[in-house]
């Protein structure tokens, strides 16, 4: 009878198996066609079958840790989505996940889609029977149920996959406006200077689609990261206002993040923990094109508003005042384009009109610009021509319409920043700043052109009100002990320390402009505009940006 090569039983030791295997080979050497028989046997016994037979007699193989399921065996159902789960007990902070993500996705030198931070137990309030604790927190995109980046993007460059729940960034749609960075409370989207667009973690969806774990999951030597499935309805119910993923993270009720952080030790959510960067105070990006855009557009709207107000006192419209409004408005709108990484794609900004305040601001100023041009043009024709038809046009109505659209644009500008949920940019603070700037700049420009005492009075009152509000803010949060307790304290400390020169110059130019406005109106207007540019510069640099817990600053 023809012999078939039999492999040794898997219950025997490796040494005994090898001896029996060699003996079986020796018996078949003289019978010929050994290679054909061996190939036939290999076709019948696959690697999966061999693996299964090897472990069928052992409930817990010695190498079991290398075969854990780090991704779900089945794809999410209609009511589920993928999510990261991080075991805080096993994460050592080695940053292998960061390195793997960087390498696989080909990121820029200073670009990271996954970060590592630290949280500590507060020794001042820890219970007597508890030991101090420390956790390392690795974090990437949380693929939220209600993503702030997706809701705020003016060009619809974000997509939440219905089948997996993964929030993906569409690079070819992005214009590099960076508004998603302001909207995300976890510092997830990162701007690429080289490419002029924003990019972010997509959970390596191309790998997941073929049953392979994301780079960060696969690279972790401690298996601290894995992919799980979460129920969408439970996720929405869990992320109530007042909860947070870990200490130092933003309120989960805002975007409803899907990530899970687990620990068998004391839960880091019990309140006696704080982030390593809790007391870090550092300025944010200045966004200089937006500084000029906001101040100059508010000067434009304010100038037309001042002209309308003076009409109540039978004041005839002044061409030079409308010229200031037109010039400053066009320069301001033009400056905003310089903030884009892909300025040639700026025309797409209307796509998110239904849900993005930035889209509404862009569309609003897109309508305001031709209206300001038309109004200035009508005044020019009326003053320097004899066309009788011009007298038939109700210029007061045209001016009112132009101002109304401009004022709506200013409100949209307010909402662009209020919608980011940052404390320093909250409604009452941002609204008062922007409306007072519009009033102050418009009244100052009006006085320079007309010399009307009402314009002078409004200028002084607006400057005094704004100066007192800003001074009161600094005095209320000047105590360094408030850092870590009040978010506004960080903003105040920035303006009193790292940004002290800019803060001092802001008040100097404001006081100087108001003081000499009757002596040298044009110089005074320039001084007031410069003061407002400095105030808007501080508006961006002194804001506290939300993010996941960071590391200890070196």
């Amino acid at each position: 009878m023809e012999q078939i090569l039999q492999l040794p039983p898997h219950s025997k030791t490796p040494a005994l198996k090898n001896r029996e295997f060699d003996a079986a080979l020796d018996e078949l050497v003289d019978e010929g066609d050994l290679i054909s028989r061996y190939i036939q046997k290999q076709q019948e016994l696959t690697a999966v079958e061999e693996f299964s037979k090897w472990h069928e007699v052992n409930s817990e193989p010695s190498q079991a840790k290398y075969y854990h399921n780090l991704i779900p065996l089945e794809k999410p159902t209609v009511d589920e989505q993928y999510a990261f789960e991080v075991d805080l007990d096993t994460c050592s902070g080695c940053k292998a996940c960061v390195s793997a993500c960087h390498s696989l996705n080909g990121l820029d030198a200073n670009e990271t889609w996954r970060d590592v931070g630290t949280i500590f137990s507060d020794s001042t309030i820890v219970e007597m029977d508890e030991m101090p604790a420390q956790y390392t927190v690795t974090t990437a995109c949380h693929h939220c149920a209600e993503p702030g980046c997706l809701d705020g993007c003016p060009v619809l460059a974000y997509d939440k996959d219905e089948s997996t729940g993964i929030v993906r960034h569409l690079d070819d749609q992005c214009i590099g406006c960076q508004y998603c960075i302001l909207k995300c409370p976890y510092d997830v989207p990162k701007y690429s200077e080289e490419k002029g667009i924003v990019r972010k973690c997509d959970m390596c969806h191309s790998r997941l689609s073929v049953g392979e774990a994301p780079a960060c999951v696969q690279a972790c030597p401690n298996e601290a990261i894995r992919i799980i499935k979460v129920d969408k309805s439970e996720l929405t119910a869990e992320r109530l206002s007042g909860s947070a993923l870990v200490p130092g993270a933003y309120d989960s009720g805002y975007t409803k993040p899907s990530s899970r952080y687990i620990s068998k030790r004391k839960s880091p959510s019990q309140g006696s923990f704080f982030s390593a960067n809790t007391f870090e105070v550092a300025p944010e990006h200045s966004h200089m094109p937006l500084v000029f855009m906001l101040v100059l557009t508010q000067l434009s709207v304010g100038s037309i508003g001042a002209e309308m107000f003076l009409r109540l006192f039978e004041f005839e419209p002044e061409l030079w005042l409308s010229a200031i409004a037109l010039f400053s408005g066009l320069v301001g709108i033009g400056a905003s384009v310089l903030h884009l990484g892909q300025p040639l794609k700026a025309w797409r900004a209307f796509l998110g009109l239904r849900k993005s305040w930035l889209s509404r601001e862009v569309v609003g100023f897109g309508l305001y610009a031709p209206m300001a041009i038309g109004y200035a043009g009508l005044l020019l024709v009326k003053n320097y021509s004899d066309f009788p038809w011009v007298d038939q046009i109700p210029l007061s109505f045209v001016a009112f319409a132009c101002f109304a659209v401009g004022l709506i644009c200013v409100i949209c500008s307010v909402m662009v920043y209020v919608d980011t949920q940052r404390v320093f940019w909250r409604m009452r603070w941002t609204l008062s700043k922007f409306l007072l700037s519009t009033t102050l700049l418009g009244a100052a420009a009006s006085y320079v052109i007309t010399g009307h005492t009402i314009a002078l009075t409004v200028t002084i009152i607006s400057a005094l009100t704004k100066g007192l509000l800003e001074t009161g803010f600094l005095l209320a949060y000047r105590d360094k002990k408030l850092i870590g307790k009040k978010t506004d304290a960080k903003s105040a400390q920035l303006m009193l320390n790292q940004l002290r020169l800019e803060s001092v110059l802001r008040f100097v130019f404001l006081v100087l402009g108001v003081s000499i406005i009757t002596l040298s109106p044009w110089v005074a207007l320039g001084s007031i505009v410069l003061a407002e540019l400095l105030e808007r510069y501080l508006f961006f640099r002194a804001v506290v940006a939300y993010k996941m817990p960071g590391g200890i600053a070196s």
Side-chain angles (χ1 to χ4, degrees):
M1 176 181 282
E2 184 175 302
Q3 286 183 302
I4 300 297
L5 178 62
Q6 297 291 333
L7 293 177
H10 297 292
S11 59
K12 299 179 180 180
T13 63
L16 180 58
K17 284 197 311 174
N18 291 339
R19 287 198 298 271
E20 291 181 0
F21 188 85
D22 292 339
L25 285 176
D26 292 337
E27 292 177 7
L28 294 173
V29 165
D30 297 331
E31 295 187 19
D33 203 21
L34 174 64
I35 295 177
S36 298
R37 298 172 190 273
Y38 187 70
I39 291 175
Q40 179 182 358
K41 187 61 182 177
Q42 288 297 98
Q43 291 174 342
E44 297 173 358
L45 190 65
T46 66
V48 174
E49 292 172 329
E50 176 68 6
F51 181 89
S52 177
K53 287 185 176 182
W54 177 257
H55 293 290
E56 65 185 357
V57 297
N58 297 312
S59 59
E60 184 63 28
S62 59
Q63 300 298 315
K65 68 165 289 184
Y66 297 114
Y67 307 122
H68 284 167
N69 291 322
L70 298 179
I71 60 174
L73 297 179
E74 298 179 351
K75 293 183 178 180
T77 64
V78 177
D79 299 322
E80 296 176 324
Q81 75 162 72
Y82 284 132
F84 284 113
E85 182 180 83
V86 177
D87 188 343
L88 295 174
D89 297 336
T90 57
C91 180
S92 63
C94 67
K95 297 187 179 181
C97 54
V98 178
S99 179
C101 176
H102 190 282
S103 177
L104 178 70
N105 293 291
L107 306 185
D108 297 342
N110 297 321
E111 186 181 11
T112 58
W113 291 358
R114 178 167 283 278
D115 299 299
V116 175
T118 309
I119 57 176
F120 302 93
S121 58
D122 190 343
S123 59
T124 61
I125 60 175
V126 71
E127 300 295 334
M128 295 297 294
D129 59 341
E130 296 175 351
M131 294 294 291
Q134 171 183 329
Y135 293 100
T136 304
V137 181
T138 176
T139 179
C141 179
H142 300 303
H143 302 280
C144 306
E146 300 175 6
C149 55
L150 186 150
D151 290 338
C153 181
V155 294
L156 307 182
Y158 283 91
D159 169 68
K160 185 171 177 65
D161 188 78
E162 293 184 1
S163 60
T164 63
I166 296 175
V167 180
R168 295 181 299 174
H169 181 263
L170 310 177
D171 292 358
D172 58 337
Q173 289 287 104
C174 183
I175 61 175
C177 69
Q178 305 171 56
Y179 187 51
C180 56
I181 297 178
L182 302 182
K183 282 279 291 178
C184 177
Y186 303 109
D187 192 32
V188 167
K190 302 296 171 63
Y191 182 68
S192 171
E193 293 282 354
E194 179 181 343
K195 296 176 174 57
I197 60 173
V198 170
R199 302 191 293 179
K200 64 173 282 295
C201 159
D202 60 358
M203 203 182 274
C204 293
H205 69 92
S206 59
R207 293 167 66 93
L208 277 175
S209 64
V210 294
E212 193 166 355
C216 56
V217 174
Q218 202 168 59
C220 181
N222 299 329
E223 296 186 349
I225 315 172
R226 71 189 188 105
I227 302 299
I228 61 173
K229 294 186 294 183
V230 296
D231 187 273
K232 294 179 181 178
S233 59
E234 292 180 2
L235 174 63
T236 303
E238 287 176 7
R239 304 309 190 193
L240 300 176
S241 179
S243 64
L245 290 174
V246 291
Y250 189 67
D251 188 340
S252 296
Y254 173 36
T255 63
K256 299 177 175 58
S258 67
S259 298
R260 295 287 192 273
Y261 289 88
I262 61 174
S263 172
K264 294 180 180 178
R265 298 185 289 169
K266 179 182 177 181
S267 173
S269 62
Q270 292 182 10
S272 60
F273 284 78
F274 65 93
S275 170
N277 61 343
T278 297
F279 302 98
E280 180 183 356
V281 180
E284 289 296 313
H285 195 279
S286 62
H287 299 287
M288 286 306 297
L290 297 183
V291 169
F292 281 92
M293 175 262 178
L294 290 173
V295 172
L296 293 179
T297 53
Q298 287 163 25
L299 168 59
S300 176
V301 175
S303 298
I304 293 181
E307 182 180 290
M308 282 188 53
F309 180 76
L310 291 178
R311 285 175 181 270
L312 300 176
F313 301 91
E314 299 181 355
F315 169 79
E316 286 298 321
E318 179 65 50
L319 178 61
W320 284 107
L321 187 56
S322 64
I324 290 177
L326 175 61
F327 178 77
S328 59
L330 294 180
V331 172
I333 294 171
S336 66
V337 179
L338 300 178
H339 184 256
L340 302 179
Q342 300 286 335
L344 295 181
K345 298 179 180 180
W347 61 270
R348 294 180 175 178
F350 73 92
L351 295 175
L353 186 62
R354 286 173 42 184
K355 58 184 179 179
S356 174
W357 281 105
L358 183 57
S359 280
R360 295 162 187 166
E361 181 191 47
V362 171
V363 171
F365 278 117
L367 179 61
Y368 173 78
M371 292 181 70
I373 293 173
Y375 178 62
L378 288 174
L379 287 180
L380 180 64
V381 172
K382 181 177 182 179
N383 290 344
Y384 296 98
S385 71
D386 296 326
F387 296 124
W389 57 269
V390 177
D391 296 329
Q392 304 299 320
I393 299 176
L395 290 179
S396 297
F397 176 77
V398 175
F400 174 78
C402 188
F403 174 70
V405 172
L407 188 59
I408 292 173
C409 292
V410 173
I411 299 300
C412 288
S413 295
V414 171
M415 293 306 302
V416 164
Y417 301 99
V418 171
D419 199 38
T420 64
Q421 309 297 312
R422 298 186 180 187
V423 173
F424 191 57
W425 292 348
R426 58 189 177 275
M427 173 63 83
R428 61 185 177 85
W429 192 236
T430 305
L431 182 64
S432 61
K433 280 186 175 229
F434 284 22
L435 291 184
L436 282 172
S437 291
T438 303
T439 305
L440 170 62
L441 293 168
S446 177
Y447 178 75
V448 168
I449 299 300
T450 67
H452 205 294
T453 55
I454 294 179
L456 176 62
T457 304
V458 174
T459 300
I460 295 174
I461 293 175
S462 301
L464 182 62
T465 303
K466 199 167 189 189
L468 289 175
L469 286 175
E470 294 172 19
T471 303
F473 175 82
L474 295 177
L475 292 176
Y477 297 102
R478 68 183 184 279
D479 190 350
K480 292 184 178 180
K481 294 180 181 179
L482 293 175
I483 296 179
K485 299 178 182 179
K486 297 286 187 180
T487 305
D488 278 333
K490 287 188 176 183
S491 297
Q493 289 301 318
L494 280 170
M495 289 189 282
L496 292 172
N497 293 284
Q498 291 99 315
L499 303 172
R500 179 168 50 189
L501 177 61
E502 292 86 344
S503 300
V504 171
L505 289 177
R506 183 273 186 281
F507 284 105
V508 168
F509 283 116
L510 182 63
V511 173
L512 176 64
V514 174
S515 301
I516 66 172
I517 192 167
T518 58
L519 302 176
S520 183
W522 283 103
V523 175
L525 178 61
S527 181
I528 292 174
V529 170
L530 185 55
E532 290 303 291
L533 288 172
L534 286 167
E535 180 268 305
R536 209 51 46 90
Y537 174 84
L538 294 170
F539 176 81
F540 284 105
R541 298 224 67 191
V543 70
V544 176
Y546 300 121
K547 58 187 67 177
M548 288 293 286
I552 301 175
S554 58

